[in-house]
């Protein structure tokens, strides 16, 4: 069955490449934390990119708390660096913060990521 899901991931990547856009991501790399001062020491940022398709939310989905008016949803290919909450996605020169990540991975094979983004 893993071969089926790997093939499905390849199909998703092909569709997102032909119909989506390249999205760049970055993540601050915290190397240490001082609990006395509350300061973080940051190392080199982690950067990665992938093919994604961006959509808005339907007005019936927007509740003003979990999903806000300007939030976007993204379908992202199975990139080698898994996105996490707090990453920054740059779409059309606008930075969005990843506020939710849903990994679609039947049988342990990542097919796509579903992200919620906020400006």
């Amino acid at each position: 069955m893993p071969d089926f899901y790997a093939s499905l991931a390849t199909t998703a990547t092909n569709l997102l490449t032909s119909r989506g856009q390249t999205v760049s991501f970055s993540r601050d790399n915290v190397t240490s934390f001082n609990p006395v001062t509350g300061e973080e020491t940051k190392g080199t940022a982690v950067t990665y990119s992938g093919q994604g398709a961006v959509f808005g939310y339907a007005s019936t989905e927007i509740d003003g708390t979990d999903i806000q008016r300007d939030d976007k949803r993204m379908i992202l290919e199975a990139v080698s660096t898994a996105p996490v909450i707090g990453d920054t996605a740059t779409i059309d020169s606008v930075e969005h913060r990843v506020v939710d990540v849903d990994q679609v991975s039947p049988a342990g094979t990542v097919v796509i990521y579903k992200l919620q983004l906020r400006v």
Side-chain angles (χ1 to χ4, degrees):
M1 198 59 91
D3 290 339
F4 171 77
Y5 294 118
S7 176
L8 192 57
T10 300
T11 299
T13 296
N14 291 339
L15 286 168
L16 290 166
T17 299
S18 67
R19 302 289 185 217
Q21 61 186 330
T22 301
V23 181
S24 299
F25 293 86
S26 67
R27 174 184 312 151
D28 286 338
N29 186 14
V30 176
T31 57
S32 66
F33 175 75
N34 183 330
V36 175
T37 63
E39 293 181 10
E40 297 176 337
T41 302
K42 296 182 181 180
T44 305
V46 174
T47 59
Y48 59 100
S49 63
Q51 298 298 314
V54 180
F55 307 92
Y57 282 93
S59 60
T60 56
E61 297 174 292
I62 298 169
D63 64 6
T65 304
D66 293 328
I67 300 174
Q68 297 178 6
R69 189 175 54 123
D70 292 329
D71 285 1
K72 303 287 183 206
R73 87 173 80 209
M74 174 188 284
I75 305 298
L76 179 67
E77 70 174 316
V79 291
S80 58
T81 301
V84 297
I85 294 171
D87 283 3
T88 301
T90 303
I91 304 166
D92 298 328
S93 302
V94 177
E95 287 190 354
H96 297 75
R97 187 172 49 87
V98 176
V99 295
D100 193 30
V101 178
D102 183 17
Q103 175 179 293
V104 178
S105 56
T109 301
V110 178
V111 176
I112 59 166
Y113 293 98
K114 298 189 293 185
L115 307 178
Q116 180 182 352
L117 306 173
R118 183 168 293 153
V119 175

